[in-house]
Amino acid sequence: MKKVTPVLRKFLNIFFEMKLFSSNKLNIRYLLFVFFFMKLLVLPGFVRADRGQDSIRAARLQKEGISAGKKGDFESALEKFTEAYLLREKMYGSTSIKLASPLNNMGVTYKNLGNFEKAIEVYKRIESLCLQSALPNSADLGIAYTNLGNIYRLNGDYNQALEYQKNALQILRKDSLKFSSNLQISKLNISEINLKLGRTKESIQMAKLLLNYISDDLRPNLYDLLAQAYLKAGDTDLAEKNYLMAIKSWTKIYGDNNVELISEYLSYSSMLLSIKQFDKALLLIQKADNLVLNFYNRKSVQYSEVLLSFGDYYYLKDAVSAQIDDFRKKRKESLSKSLKYYQDAIVALVDSFSNTDIFANPQLDNVISEIQLVEVMKKKALALDKLGNIYESELDRRNAIRYYESSLNSYALAMDLIHRLQTGFENEDSRLFLAQNQQATFQEAIGTAYNLFKITKDNRYSQKAFEFSERSKSSNLLVSLRDIKAKEFGGISDSLLEKESEYKSYIATYKSKLFEETHAENVDSQRVNLFSSKLFKYNEEYNRLIDSFEKNYPRYYSLKYENKVIDALQIKSRLNQRQALLEYYLKNPENETSEGELYLFAITADSISLYKQSIDGEFGRRIQTFHDFLISSDYLNTQKSDYVNYINSAYYLYEKLIQPVSRKLVGKSLTIIPHDKLSYVPFDALISEKPDTLRMNFRDLKYLIRDYSINYGYSATLVYDAIKKKRAARRLLIFSPEYNYQEARKDIETGKTYHLSPLPGSKNEIKAISNYISADSFTDQNAQESTFKKDAGNFDILHLAMHTIINDSIPMLSKLVFSTPLVNSSDDGNLNAYEIYNMKLNARLAVLSACETGSGKLQGGEGVMSMARGFIYAGCPSVIMTLWQVEDKSGVKIMDDFYRYLSKGKRKDEALRMAKLNHLKNSDPLTAHPHFWLGYVSIGNAEPLYTSNDVYFVIFLLITLLILFADYHFRRKRWKTKQK
């Protein structure tokens, strides 16, 4: 009130000097003047004084909350920040940007308490406030994005985290002096995420630059990052040096009793365990244990991490003994201790679970951190498996089975969590990264299931191993296809689906533009920033739309998160006596001296079999030799030594891959589900008998194609559970563009220039296949990208005879090359893989008679990232693809025969086999070289498109027999009547 009093005094002086009261009568006009003047000057004074006090109190609460947080008293910190938020909301309203600061602090505290869901909700609230205000790129938004990135990083969604951190950096750079500390934090975070993504060199370079100017309070974080990076790079000396510097720095800033030391001790101890310094590691884990309950409760990620470290210590600790029996005894003791800690770590991560029995597993409800629980469940499963190994070696069958089964159950739970994480990631790169990095989980689980199958001979375990193999294959493609199915059958309105399609189109466009700009000779940083911000914006809007689908459409949610793969019994019931499925799982040797494992599942209408073989480095070398020989463009100059190497490799691979089950396969067509490097093996060219190699003769080789029609699949689930499609309105759409070698065709993303040769055989190819199926053909300049995108969804079969540009580093930027665009066309004539992914195709078959449509980068856990994969994603259940540029003349003939047999009702794989056999039959010893006929392979659903003439003949025969039978009975009846 002190500031208001002089104003009041001055006003009262004026009031009396003006003699507002006259003749004891109140002058109403002057009274009103007094009232409004008082309202303008006096009452706001009270408000301003009150607001000032609240503002001071809110600032004090924020400061107290930060102090409590640094001490690890997160509950108290949250109370302070919440009170500060409520005060600011009272002062400024619920839509004020001034609420961002306490909200950011609340988000950090929720993160520290392990409540990531609540933290994300708070940060999204800040984003909403900023975007609705006149300051859409305020520092508050940059800080919120930094913190959101940290949450996604902790959840394992590293690519999404990186997008947030980069966008935060872009915003904060606009006032780099004022927000210097925030900028440093953002750069630290980007460096750490790069390390998580395996970009170790890049992470170290960025961290070293930060060393020159980082603030003292952030320096320990930087030392910790450098320690982790050097450890990944294999330099344990530098890693240890930086861990010690980080611990010293934390202690200097906050003393011995500070929350940051917990994770530092654990991280350092993990390194020490990896180099077998067990005693030193144990001391650090014990230090972390002494601190952790000062700051966190027993249901927290941090407490779980301490328990997990104790478990790792006992799991990894060497049990040295001269006597094998004594070794087993000590090893069992160590593993039992590790399991106790792993079980306690699980209890700490699940609110509703408290069972410390190592054979008990939680329900997946109220999980504090799914990504952390995955790691603990995997380690528990591995320890149980090791105990099972020991009991098996001691011939204790009962205990071996008990521990193996418990291990299997733990792996199954880990896989359910992996599926939930993968399905929840909207960023496809994050889903791919997760799948690749969880391959070891599937490898170990299949091994455990096999051990049980070997001991018990119970097919339940071979079927479980098959389930794990299926879960490991093309899981991201399966998630994506289920998402499409969920949108189709989840009750979502057409307008929302159109909006979703629009966002995906924008995202793909700006991804392409960003890649193009960042790979240009002279990078325009303004354009990079523009495209980055646009890409981020549409990703955000897309994610919000998907979140609304999940909240408002329960049917969509249940279909999207469905976690089923086809099981071996279901496949067995679907196969007839002339069909078999072979699925492979490959665990590669870790080095030249170690052994790997090859699992083979063979399923027929009569049996389900599981085989395991040991493999070494020779296996990988044979695959490479076989593959290099087939794809070589110098096939016309094949040397004798090359021929012999091919023969030896082709027969070696036959012995490993087919011979163990050959008796079960006689007279059957094969569906093959490869894994890892086997995705590069076209089985058609394996040979089942070793020939005389004194002379080269490709024609008489005993190729596998002579005995079987062969179809491939990314996974059995994708092959057999594809949505049945009705025939589209129109039959066959053909595209055959015109190419002029003199005309340079530029790939705008990479900046590379291509001179594409004409494909003279394509005209003959079109003419030939049009004889069997009525077609709409677009050739030469009419073969426009825009026409294909407009018409492709209306046809039953798509046939594309054209060039392909493969981008192995970023497969989504591989493209089909159409004719040069017409004047004023908005297209560039290149149909990118990401554009195919965004199309909705109704075709039952796509024939990609273009070069290398089946080749591409091998992605761990996903398979080959080829153009064919894009057509399957877009809704095509079956694809004929090429492994290399097919020789013109032989390619035309094979396609001619393929369509002839297809039109007669043959299965797709059988039609392709018969076309290849025709080539071999009519070839000479040189043109029988696999390069001439092997280029085309069938993938996906191999069922026939048309009814076979044989079926019509059988129907005709049955009708004829019925007529004859009826005529016979009629004549017999009439004869009997005459006899009477």
Side-chain angles (χ1 to χ4, degrees):
M1 287 296 294
K2 289 181 180 179
K3 291 182 181 180
V4 180
T5 304
V7 178
L8 271 172
R9 187 180 296 112
K10 188 173 182 181
F11 169 75
L12 289 171
N13 288 337
I14 295 170
F15 179 83
F16 287 112
E17 285 173 10
M18 291 179 67
K19 299 180 180 179
L20 295 176
F21 293 101
S22 176
S23 304
N24 297 323
K25 290 182 181 180
L26 183 64
N27 187 316
I28 299 299
R29 185 175 57 185
Y30 288 115
L31 187 59
L32 287 172
F33 168 77
V34 171
F35 174 76
F36 285 114
F37 196 84
M38 289 281 285
K39 185 174 180 182
L40 286 170
L41 290 181
V42 180
L43 295 179
F46 285 104
V47 172
R48 280 195 297 273
D50 191 36
R51 179 179 289 181
Q53 289 177 349
D54 284 348
S55 182
I56 292 167
R57 178 166 168 72
R60 189 177 73 247
L61 286 165
Q62 291 252 75
K63 190 175 180 181
E64 290 172 358
I66 291 168
S67 177
K70 285 181 177 178
K71 292 175 183 175
D73 188 357
F74 301 122
E75 286 85 355
S76 175
L78 188 59
E79 286 177 13
K80 304 285 186 187
F81 295 138
T82 304
E83 192 176 347
Y85 169 80
L86 293 172
L87 279 171
R88 289 200 173 191
E89 186 179 44
K90 173 185 167 187
M91 288 187 285
Y92 304 113
S94 60
T95 59
S96 173
I97 194 69
K98 292 183 181 291
L99 301 177
S101 178
L103 282 170
N104 256 318
N105 287 324
M106 287 165 67
V108 171
T109 311
Y110 279 125
K111 185 262 290 182
N112 288 333
L113 287 167
N115 192 341
F116 295 163
E117 192 174 332
K118 194 69 179 175
I120 290 173
E121 183 184 315
V122 167
Y123 295 136
K124 292 287 186 182
R125 169 90 173 111
I126 298 170
E127 181 184 46
S128 178
L129 289 173
C130 292
L131 294 178
Q132 290 171 15
S133 72
L135 301 167
N137 289 317
S138 70
D140 289 310
L141 183 59
I143 295 166
Y145 283 162
T146 298
N147 291 329
L148 260 173
N150 286 336
I151 298 295
Y152 284 113
R153 175 179 57 80
L154 291 169
N155 274 333
D157 193 348
Y158 300 124
N159 286 281
Q160 186 82 330
L162 191 59
E163 290 301 315
Y164 274 104
Q165 296 295 356
K166 284 181 175 178
N167 215 54
L169 193 64
Q170 193 173 323
I171 292 170
L172 293 167
R173 271 180 175 155
K174 292 174 183 177
D175 196 342
S176 57
L177 290 176
K178 185 175 180 182
F179 300 105
S180 173
S181 179
N182 299 108
L183 270 170
Q184 291 172 27
I185 291 169
S186 190
K187 288 177 181 178
L188 260 174
N189 291 335
I190 289 171
S191 184
E192 184 174 355
I193 295 166
N194 279 329
L195 183 63
K196 295 288 186 185
L197 289 169
R199 302 164 189 165
T200 307
K201 188 176 179 182
E202 191 176 336
S203 177
I204 292 173
Q205 286 174 344
M206 194 170 185
K208 280 184 172 179
L209 287 173
L210 280 167
L211 270 174
N212 299 322
Y213 59 86
I214 200 161
S215 58
D216 288 341
D217 60 326
L218 294 175
R219 194 163 287 273
N221 295 96
L222 184 56
Y223 289 140
D224 175 74
L225 174 61
L226 280 166
Q228 293 181 56
Y230 284 126
L231 181 60
K232 269 201 173 182
D235 192 334
T236 53
D237 290 337
L238 272 177
E240 184 163 26
K241 179 183 175 182
N242 278 278
Y243 275 128
L244 292 170
M245 290 170 72
I247 290 168
K248 184 179 178 181
S249 299
W250 286 125
T251 307
K252 183 179 178 182
I253 297 171
Y254 301 118
D256 291 327
N257 186 36
N258 83 77
V259 70
E260 303 292 353
L261 284 173
I262 299 169
S263 60
E264 205 64 60
Y265 288 148
L266 294 180
S267 189
Y268 183 20
S269 72
S270 178
M271 187 210 81
L272 292 170
L273 289 174
S274 72
I275 57 175
K276 302 188 186 308
Q277 293 188 23
F278 296 107
D279 294 341
K280 200 172 173 182
L282 182 60
L283 287 173
L284 288 166
I285 299 168
Q286 288 168 340
K287 283 186 176 184
D289 186 40
N290 291 334
L291 284 173
V292 69
L293 292 179
N294 294 341
F295 304 104
Y296 302 98
N297 60 42
R298 292 179 183 275
K299 291 285 185 181
S300 65
V301 172
Q302 292 77 11
Y303 186 53
S304 175
E305 285 175 341
V306 172
L307 296 167
L308 183 63
S309 295
F310 275 120
D312 289 346
Y313 167 77
Y314 286 107
Y315 178 82
L316 294 168
K317 188 175 184 295
D318 288 330
V320 181
S321 174
Q323 299 295 322
I324 190 67
D325 290 339
D326 193 36
F327 167 78
R328 286 174 181 158
K329 181 182 176 183
K330 288 184 176 180
R331 188 66 181 137
K332 280 195 287 189
E333 288 174 359
S334 293
L335 287 170
S336 296
K337 285 180 181 177
S338 74
L339 279 167
K340 177 188 176 300
Y341 280 108
Y342 289 150
Q343 188 67 18
D344 289 343
I346 292 167
V347 169
L349 286 171
V350 185
D351 271 337
S352 55
F353 184 67
S354 58
N355 194 335
T356 56
D357 179 1
I358 64 168
F359 296 103
N361 283 326
Q363 297 293 315
L364 298 183
D365 302 318
N366 305 311
V367 176
I368 295 170
S369 169
E370 290 181 345
I371 193 73
Q372 175 77 358
L373 187 56
V374 167
E375 293 308 306
V376 184
M377 292 306 306
K378 282 161 51 180
K379 289 184 175 181
K380 175 185 172 181
L382 201 55
L384 287 163
D385 179 74
K386 296 302 179 192
L387 272 168
N389 290 162
I390 294 172
Y391 283 115
E392 185 182 358
S393 68
E394 294 176 339
L395 304 181
D396 185 346
R397 186 174 182 273
R398 186 182 64 84
N399 268 321
I401 291 172
R402 186 186 186 203
Y403 279 92
Y404 280 145
E405 283 187 333
S406 186
S407 173
L408 210 59
N409 293 335
S410 298
Y411 277 126
L413 198 69
M415 287 178 200
D416 286 342
L417 284 162
I418 291 167
H419 171 78
R420 277 168 53 160
L421 285 165
Q422 191 173 28
T423 309
F425 291 171
E426 296 302 339
N427 187 301
E428 184 179 27
D429 290 334
S430 290
R431 293 201 299 266
L432 289 170
F433 183 80
L434 178 68
Q436 182 172 350
N437 280 272
Q438 293 297 340
Q439 281 302 292
T441 309
F442 297 102
Q443 289 174 4
E444 299 297 342
I446 291 169
T448 301
Y450 179 81
N451 288 338
L452 278 164
F453 173 66
K454 181 181 65 175
I455 293 173
T456 65
K457 307 302 179 188
D458 188 336
N459 270 325
R460 285 183 304 137
Y461 299 119
S462 62
Q463 290 161 26
K464 197 67 180 175
F466 179 80
E467 179 194 330
F468 293 151
S469 175
E470 271 296 288
R471 288 187 185 280
S472 75
K473 289 185 170 66
S474 298
S475 53
N476 188 43
L477 181 56
L478 188 58
V479 164
S480 300
L481 290 173
R482 281 195 172 139
D483 187 49
I484 292 167
K485 178 183 174 184
K487 285 165 189 164
E488 187 173 348
F489 298 103
I492 300 171
S493 67
D494 290 342
S495 61
L496 285 175
L497 291 176
E498 285 173 14
K499 178 62 71 177
E500 187 245 359
S501 179
E502 182 182 304
Y503 285 151
K504 285 173 74 175
S505 175
Y506 289 154
I507 289 166
T509 298
Y510 283 111
K511 266 188 181 178
S512 173
K513 288 184 177 296
L514 183 60
F515 183 87
E516 176 189 351
E517 189 58 48
T518 52
H519 287 75
E521 241 179 81
N522 299 307
V523 178
D524 185 333
S525 59
Q526 285 189 334
R527 282 171 64 83
V528 169
N529 290 338
L530 174 64
F531 297 148
S532 295
S533 61
K534 290 282 187 183
L535 179 59
F536 184 82
K537 172 193 170 187
Y538 287 117
N539 268 318
E540 281 284 274
E541 291 183 5
Y542 176 79
N543 291 340
R544 278 196 290 271
L545 184 65
I546 298 301
D547 286 344
S548 73
F549 288 174
E550 292 189 1
K551 289 174 185 173
N552 301 324
Y553 297 91
R555 175 72 175 152
Y556 165 79
Y557 183 88
S558 63
L559 287 170
K560 176 179 178 177
Y561 285 88
E562 187 179 51
N563 189 19
K564 290 180 182 177
V565 291
I566 194 166
D567 63 50
L569 286 173
Q570 286 175 306
I571 294 172
K572 182 174 178 286
S573 68
R574 294 191 191 189
L575 297 175
N576 62 38
Q577 291 296 328
R578 295 179 58 79
Q579 296 173 327
L581 177 129
L582 301 180
E583 178 157 331
Y584 297 89
Y585 192 92
L586 184 62
K587 181 181 179 182
N588 289 303
E590 291 182 7
N591 51 56
E592 280 295 317
T593 59
S594 65
E595 285 193 340
E597 295 164 357
L598 172 66
Y599 295 93
L600 165 58
F601 302 89
I603 305 175
T604 67
D606 302 316
S607 65
I608 300 169
S609 306
L610 170 58
Y611 302 85
K612 175 187 171 184
Q613 299 177 68
S614 294
I615 56 171
D616 55 20
E618 178 71 6
F619 186 79
R621 288 192 292 274
R622 291 293 187 182
I623 290 175
Q624 192 66 53
T625 301
F626 181 75
H627 179 257
D628 290 347
F629 175 81
L630 294 174
I631 66 170
S632 173
S633 58
D634 197 26
Y635 55 91
L636 291 175
N637 297 311
T638 301
Q639 301 298 307
K640 177 77 175 295
S641 59
D642 298 326
Y643 175 76
V644 172
N645 285 335
Y646 161 67
I647 294 296
N648 291 334
S649 296
Y651 184 69
Y652 171 92
L653 292 172
Y654 168 80
E655 286 184 304
K656 289 286 186 184
L657 301 172
I658 300 294
Q659 195 173 65
V661 292
S662 57
R663 290 183 181 180
K664 295 175 181 289
L665 306 179
V666 177
K668 300 186 190 314
S669 61
L670 307 182
T671 294
I672 291 175
I673 313 296
H675 178 246
D676 200 78
K677 294 174 185 175
L678 292 176
S679 300
Y680 289 131
V681 175
F683 282 61
D684 310 42
L686 300 181
I687 56 173
S688 57
E689 290 179 12
K690 238 182 176 182
D692 180 359
T693 56
L694 290 176
R695 64 186 183 90
M696 286 196 297
N697 183 355
F698 287 103
R699 186 177 58 189
D700 295 337
L701 293 178
K702 195 75 165 65
Y703 297 114
L704 214 60
I705 193 70
R706 296 188 190 278
D707 298 319
Y708 313 103
S709 59
I710 299 174
N711 182 56
Y712 300 88
Y714 285 106
S715 76
T717 304
L718 288 167
V719 171
Y720 289 100
D721 275 5
I723 298 171
K724 300 291 183 185
K725 282 180 170 283
K726 294 180 180 179
R727 186 185 297 180
R730 295 154 81 177
R731 299 191 78 183
L732 173 61
L733 178 66
I734 301 174
F735 273 76
S736 175
E738 178 181 62
Y739 301 109
N740 180 354
Y741 186 79
Q742 303 304 319
E743 178 189 353
R745 297 293 296 268
K746 190 173 182 181
D747 180 356
I748 59 171
E749 282 88 13
T750 62
K752 291 182 181 178
T753 300
Y754 295 86
H755 292 272
L756 303 174
S757 301
L759 301 173
S762 63
K763 301 294 186 296
N764 295 329
E765 185 172 299
I766 292 168
K767 184 178 178 182
I769 64 182
S770 299
N771 289 331
Y772 307 113
I773 301 171
S774 59
D776 288 6
S777 301
F778 293 87
T779 62
D780 299 332
Q781 275 303 107
N782 291 324
Q784 292 291 314
E785 177 191 359
S786 56
T787 307
F788 177 78
K789 289 195 283 193
K790 179 170 65 75
D791 291 346
N794 301 321
F795 285 83
D796 190 43
I797 303 174
L798 305 174
H799 185 98
L800 306 176
M802 57 180 62
H803 281 293
T804 309
I805 295 173
I806 300 297
N807 187 321
D808 272 339
S809 59
I810 304 182
M812 292 296 262
L813 295 179
S814 294
K815 56 206 67 186
L816 293 167
V817 185
F818 287 79
S819 293
T820 304
L822 300 173
V823 180
N824 299 326
S825 172
S826 59
D827 291 305
D828 61 2
N830 296 329
L831 185 68
N832 284 293
Y834 68 76
E835 293 179 279
I836 297 168
Y837 274 66
N838 290 334
M839 295 178 74
K840 187 175 181 181
L841 300 175
N842 295 304
R844 292 183 294 161
L845 172 65
V847 180
L848 308 181
S849 186
C851 54
E852 301 181 286
T853 50
S855 66
K857 180 182 179 181
L858 181 64
Q859 175 76 41
E862 201 63 26
V864 176
M865 306 295 284
S866 65
M867 292 294 291
R869 187 176 183 274
F871 279 85
I872 289 174
Y873 183 97
C876 237
S878 181
V879 177
I880 304 295
M881 63 187 188
T882 54
L883 302 176
W884 49 75
Q885 186 167 345
V886 179
E887 194 273 334
D888 220 25
K889 187 176 178 181
S890 62
V892 170
K893 180 58 179 163
I894 287 172
M895 280 292 98
D896 182 346
D897 287 342
F898 168 73
Y899 275 98
R900 176 160 56 90
Y901 292 124
L902 188 72
S903 66
K904 290 181 177 181
K906 297 293 182 185
R907 284 169 53 95
K908 303 177 193 90
D909 55 346
E910 181 61 17
L912 193 56
R913 173 183 180 245
M914 292 171 75
K916 291 175 179 179
L917 289 178
N918 280 350
H919 172 86
L920 284 170
K921 181 181 177 182
N922 297 306
S923 63
D924 58 41
L926 180 59
T927 57
H929 188 299
H931 195 95
F932 285 92
W933 55 267
L934 183 58
Y936 292 103
V937 294
S938 165
I939 185 167
N941 187 303
E943 294 302 312
L945 295 182
Y946 307 109
T947 305
S948 169
N949 291 335
D950 294 340
V951 174
Y952 291 123
F953 175 74
V954 170
I955 293 170
F956 173 76
L957 189 62
L958 286 172
I959 292 170
T960 303
L961 288 172
L962 284 170
I963 291 170
L964 290 173
F965 185 72
D967 182 65
Y968 168 76
H969 274 278
F970 175 74
R971 289 174 182 275
R972 184 176 176 80
K973 186 176 179 182
R974 192 168 63 178
W975 180 78
K976 284 183 178 179
T977 302
K978 284 181 180 180
Q979 291 297 315
K980 290 178 182 179

